[in-house]
Amino acid sequence: MHPLLNIATLAARSAGGNIMHHLDRIDQLNIEQKGKNDYVSEVDKEAENTIIQTIRKYYPDHHILAEESGKLTLKNKKSDIEWIIDPLDGTTNFLHQFPQFCVSIAVREKGKLQHAAIFDPVRDEMFSATRGGGAFLNNRRLRISQQKTLTNSLLATGFPYHDFSYIDSYMASLKEFMLTTAGVRRAGSAALDLAYVACGRVDGFWEFNLKQWDMAAGALLIQEAGGLVTDFKGGENYLQSGNILAANPKLYKEMAQVISRTVPVELRN
């Protein structure tokens, strides 16, 4: 395992331990509302601090982009490496003890994703990848599903929950996918959804308006498992646009056609 990935998995497991420690005492937690249907708990902050401390112990000069702390760029320190952290993806699920949440960590070097770790502490599942080295689940090599058409495929997505400006376009895409597939799942953790695409539990994924820390690790997992990840225009700007489409190459073409029919051009940017 690459040293950077080793530290990513170490940090993810440590944060997962923090999260599980609090799962049975949700009623005792301090919870803040950052915006409409957007919550942060002391567990998010504790888990993020654990990850940052682990990174700083081994790589004190690296930059960090974290959901709760923002961009931590060290003054007078030059580094090509940035860690992208979501300490608890699926906070709302966690706060309801709905067992679908994870820790997501990605490492970007010179602007390109190189390493990824997504840890599901409930199932003790560690998804990991290094660019050019493949994707793994608890040391078992992953391959994306080989579903060739939307018919019989199972897709994952995320519903709008705080920004409803694009809800009509989203509902149009959801309607078409519902009518042409075996089903659509909305489990509430984009990072885990992407990991599930990488391991073939779902065949494809699309969502609007995500953040970099929601997507970075999962995107690399899918690519290393043989899949395609793009924005809604078919480009590589998904980390900036927040719009992401992922599947195996054959299914991707059909999903992209649905997006092109249902999402206006101005919303694909």
Side-chain angles (χ1 to χ4, degrees), residues 149-167:
T149 66
L150 283 173
T151 304
N152 297 323
S153 68
L154 180 66
L155 304 183
T157 188
F159 302 153
Y161 65 94
H162 65 89
D163 178 2
F164 298 97
S165 61
Y166 55 90
I167 192 168

Side-chain angles (χ1 to χ4, degrees), residues 234-246:
E236 299 180 355
N237 199 44
Y238 50 90
L239 291 180
Q240 289 70 45
S241 71
N243 301 329
I244 187 169
L245 179 62

Side-chain angles (χ1 to χ4, degrees), residues 76-268:
N76 302 319
K77 298 288 186 180
K78 293 183 178 180
S79 177
D80 293 326
I81 297 176
E82 182 179 46
W83 297 70
I84 306 172
I85 300 167
D86 192 337
L88 176 51
D89 187 60
T91 298
T92 300
N93 283 351
F94 171 77
L95 294 176
H96 287 80
Q97 295 180 309
F98 186 86
Q100 187 79 359
F101 47 82
C102 68
V103 182
S104 179
I105 303 174
V107 183
R108 180 162 52 192
E109 186 171 0
K110 295 182 179 179
K112 197 172 187 66
L113 296 173
Q114 296 292 341
H115 309 283
I118 293 177
F119 181 54
D120 177 350
V122 175
R123 299 172 184 83
D124 192 28
E125 292 187 333
M126 178 67 75
F127 300 85
S128 63
T130 290
R131 183 170 296 280
F136 297 84
L137 167 54
N138 292 346
N139 300 315
R140 177 175 61 83
R141 185 88 180 226
L142 298 182
R143 293 301 298 174
I144 202 163
S145 100
Q146 298 304 303
Q147 183 64 244
K148 296 180 175 61
T149 66
L150 283 173
T151 304
N152 297 323
S153 68
L154 180 66
L155 304 183
T157 188
F159 302 153
Y161 65 94
H162 65 89
D163 178 2
F164 298 97
S165 61
Y166 55 90
I167 192 168
D168 290 339
S169 295
Y170 174 78
M171 293 304 292
S173 66
L174 176 61
K175 179 180 179 179
E176 184 156 347
F177 283 129
M178 287 175 65
L179 291 172
T180 55
T181 66
V184 178
R185 301 291 181 262
R186 197 282 191 184
S189 170
L192 264 186
D193 287 341
L194 292 167
Y196 282 12
V197 174
C199 72
R201 291 176 183 171
V202 293
D203 301 304
F205 176 82
W206 89 103
E207 190 167 349
F208 294 68
N209 202 31
L210 290 172
K211 302 297 184 183
Q212 292 190 50
W213 44 79
D214 299 318
M215 300 177 283
L220 182 60
L221 280 169
I222 292 170
Q223 291 168 346
E224 287 300 313
L228 293 178
V229 182
T230 72
D231 56 33
F232 287 171
K233 297 172 69 176
E236 299 180 355
N237 199 44
Y238 50 90
L239 291 180
Q240 289 70 45
S241 71
N243 301 329
I244 187 169
L245 179 62
N248 70 61
K250 290 186 177 179
L251 184 61
Y252 169 87
K253 292 180 181 178
E254 286 203 28
M255 292 185 69
Q257 289 171 359
V258 172
I259 294 296
S260 67
R261 289 195 296 270
T262 58
V263 180
V265 173
E266 61 270 18
L267 290 180
R268 293 184 226 155

